[in-house]
Amino acid sequence: MKALSVQALREKILSGETTCEEQCHSLLEEISKTNKKFHHFCMVSEKVALEQARELDKKVKKGFHGKLLGAGLSVKDSICVEGVETRAGSKVLSGYVPPSSATVVERALAEGAFVLGKTSQDEFGFGSYSVNVGVGFEVPRNPFDEGRACGGSSGGSAGFTSLTKLTQVSFGESTGGSIACPASFCGSVGFTPTYGLLSRHGLIDYGNSLDKIGPMAKTVSEAARLLEVSSGPDNKDSTCVDKKTGGFESFVGKSLKGKTIGIVKDFVGNDLDFGVAKVFFDMVSFLEKEGVKTKEVSLSMNKKFAIPAYYLISTPEASTNLARYCGMRYGLSGDFAGKSFDEYFSEIRSNGFGLEVKRRLMLGTFARMSGFRDAYYLRALKVRRKLMLEFLELFKQVDLVVHPAMPFVAPTFSEIEKLTPVQHYFADIFLTPSNLGGFPHISVNAGFHKGMPVGFMFTANHFQESGLISAGSLVEEGAKNA
Ligand code: GLN
C-alpha cells in the first residue's frame, strides 16, 4: 500500500494541515481493524502513543520540527520501550515493563515519532517464518495472502510496514537474517546495518556477537532517515562503534554508473525457484542498463558452512542469555513455596518457553559445555573468520554483492508445517553469510511471483551503508517500471 512519505507528512504537520494526534488516531484505528486478521502487533500501546502524539503537537507550536515528525513507530517486541510491556515474543517475559527505552527508540522519539506498539516475532528471534511464536501469542500473517507467513523473525514489523496506508516506520532486529527475510516476503524495505553501527542498548539479546537492530520502511529513503536518526555512538553499549555517521539520505537516487556488483553464482543456480530467478535477473538487466557493471562471483565456502557455523555460534550465545529467565528477576513468576530452586526454575521454564526455544537451549548448552566447546563453539568461531575473509576478498573486486534475499516467495502455513527443524534453519541460507560477517545489507522489493513479493538483496563491506542506499533506491526505480 502507498502512504504519505515521512517527509511529506512532516511538511503537512508543520504547515498545520494535520496534527500528530490525528495521525496517531488514524493509525490506531487502522491497527484495531487489521490486527484481528493479521496479528502484526502483539501489543498496541494506545495510551502511550496518544500521550506522545499530543506532546509532540505542543512542541510543534514551540518550533519543534524533528525529522520523523508525526510518523508512527512500531517496534519489534525484543526491543525495550519504556512503560510498554516487552516480551521478545515469549510468555516467560509476561508482565515485564522496561524502566527505560532502547537507545534507538529514544532517538526516534526525540525526532518526533510516537510508539504504536510491539510487533509479533518468533520467540526470542528463533525462526524464519514468525510461526515459532511464544505460548499464547498469535502468528502474524502476510499482507498479500493471509494463508502465508510474514517471514521471521521480524515478521510483524515487515507485515505492518507493507500493509499500512499511513506513515509508519519500524525497528526490526536481525541475528541471522531476521530483517531481510520478512522484508522480502512482505515487500517492504529491510535494512540491516553493519554490526555495531546502531546501539544494542535495550535490545533483549539473542546472540550478542550477531544481533543488529535495523530499520524497516516502505521506501529506501525512509529507511535511510530512520538509520540516520538512530545511529551513532552510545556509551551504554560498548560494542557500538565510536563513529559519527550521517548523510545517509543524501545517497538516495545517487547513480551507480561504473560500479561493479558481484552476482553470487552459488545462490542463483538451478535450485533457485524459477519465478524468483526471473524477477532477480530482470532486475539485474535493469541495473546493467543503468550503467552498473556485473560480474559473477562465488561464496562457495559460505554456502557450505555458514548455516552450521551460525547455529553453533548463535545457540550457545542464546543459551547463556536465556539463563536469566528463571522466574525471579523478570516477567513470569510462580509459587516458590516448598520447592527447591531447581524445581522452581524448571517449572517456570517448562511453562514459559515454547518448543523451539527448548530445542535451541539444549543445542546451545551442549555446544558450549566443557569438553565440547573446542570442538563446536570455538571451531565455529574460526570458521566464521574464514567465511568473513571470503567476503572481504570479494570486496576487493566488486562494490556490492547481490542475490535474491530468499530462495522462494513466502510459503503457506501448511508448507511450513511439513518442514523439519533443519529444513527450517536452511531457509536463511542466503542471509546467514552477511550476518555472520557483520556486513550491512538491504532487501528491496524487485517484483512479484505468483502475486507474492520477491526481495533483491545487496551486501556491502563494513560501514558502506551509503552504497546500499543508492543501490536500493535504484531497485525501487526498476521495480516501478517493471
Ligand atoms: N532464522 C534465524 C534463526 O532462527 C535468524 C533469526 C534472527 O535473525 N533473529 O536464528
Side-chain angles (χ1 to χ4, degrees), residues 76 121-122 124-129 132 152-154 173-179 181 206 210-212 310-311 314-315 356 360 424-425 427-428 432 435:
K76 185 174 182 176
Q121 61 166 94
D122 291 289
F124 289 106
F126 300 162
S128 307
Y129 301 109
N132 296 337
S153 61
S154 310
E173 178 277 336
S174 174
T175 306
S178 279
I179 293 178
C181 161
Y206 167 171
L210 292 155
D211 296 343
K212 301 152 297 278
Y310 169 76
Y311 279 94
S314 65
T315 58
E356 183 59 25
R360 299 215 183 183
H424 194 130
Y425 298 167
D428 291 337
T432 311
N435 277 278

Side-chain angles (χ1 to χ4, degrees), residues 404-462:
M406 297 300 287
F408 35 72
V409 295
T412 63
F413 291 112
S414 52
E415 283 165 346
I416 296 169
E417 257 170 38
K418 294 187 196 107
L419 299 177
T420 63
V422 172
Q423 284 170 329
H424 194 130
Y425 298 167
F426 270 89
D428 291 337
I429 179 135
F430 298 173
L431 309 179
T432 311
S434 316
N435 277 278
L436 266 183
F439 295 108
H441 50 283
I442 189 171
S443 173
V444 181
N445 183 251
F448 290 82
H449 168 52
K450 292 188 197 150
M452 298 306 293
V454 175
F456 194 94
M457 175 161 150
F458 292 97
T459 300
N461 204 343
H462 296 131

Side-chain angles (χ1 to χ4, degrees), residues 176-191:
S178 279
I179 293 178
C181 161
S184 175
F185 285 172
C186 295
S188 49
V189 173
F191 201 112

Side-chain angles (χ1 to χ4, degrees), residues 197-274:
L197 185 72
L198 261 59
S199 164
R200 288 185 298 120
H201 172 73
L203 171 69
I204 297 176
D205 301 311
Y206 167 171
N208 308 46
S209 76
L210 292 155
D211 296 343
K212 301 152 297 278
I213 296 179
M216 308 196 74
K218 275 193 193 289
T219 62
V220 174
S221 103
E222 289 174 319
R225 183 169 292 200
L226 190 57
L227 187 70
E228 173 108 34
V229 161
S230 52
S231 58
D234 179 16
N235 56 19
K236 291 181 186 144
D237 171 9
S238 59
T239 59
C240 183
V241 289
D242 205 9
K243 215 177 165 115
K244 191 81 206 111
T245 50
F248 291 128
E249 250 187 301
S250 65
F251 289 92
V252 173
K254 218 166 166 205
S255 165
L256 286 191
K257 266 200 187 81
K259 298 271 183 216
T260 309
I261 59 171
I263 301 171
V264 184
K265 65 173 184 206
D266 317 84
F267 295 164
V268 295
N270 289 339
D271 40 358
L272 184 64
D273 183 299
F274 179 76

Side-chain angles (χ1 to χ4, degrees), residues 84-196:
V84 179
E85 191 183 28
T86 293
R87 295 171 289 175
S90 182
K91 180 180 170 187
V92 92
L93 275 166
S94 303
Y96 174 62
V97 179
S100 60
S101 292
T103 299
V104 294
V105 172
E106 265 177 19
R107 289 179 180 173
L109 296 184
E111 290 292 340
F114 47 83
V115 177
L116 296 165
K118 310 306 301 293
T119 57
S120 306
Q121 61 166 94
D122 291 289
E123 190 172 8
F124 289 106
F126 300 162
S128 307
Y129 301 109
S130 289
V131 296
N132 296 337
V133 292
V135 179
F137 286 76
E138 299 281 355
V139 171
R141 292 171 179 271
N142 195 295
F144 289 88
D145 176 352
E146 58 187 283
R148 290 176 188 266
C150 276
S153 61
S154 310
S157 287
F160 187 69
T161 297
S162 168
L163 180 77
T164 182
K165 298 188 190 79
L166 296 158
T167 311
Q168 182 262 179
V169 287
S170 189
F171 279 122
E173 178 277 336
S174 174
T175 306
S178 279
I179 293 178
C181 161
S184 175
F185 285 172
C186 295
S188 49
V189 173
F191 201 112
T192 311
T194 307
Y195 177 82

Side-chain angles (χ1 to χ4, degrees), residues 209-210 313 380-388 435-436:
S209 76
L210 292 155
I313 294 168
L381 289 179
K382 289 180 189 156
V383 172
R384 179 185 195 173
R385 180 75 197 149
K386 293 234 181 248
L387 299 181
M388 211 165 156
N435 277 278
L436 266 183

Side-chain angles (χ1 to χ4, degrees), residues 386-401:
K386 293 234 181 248
L387 299 181
M388 211 165 156
L389 290 174
E390 188 177 41
F391 260 106
L392 291 172
E393 275 307 309
L394 285 193
F395 289 127
K396 288 184 187 156
Q397 310 160 34
V398 298
D399 299 289
L400 298 166
V401 166

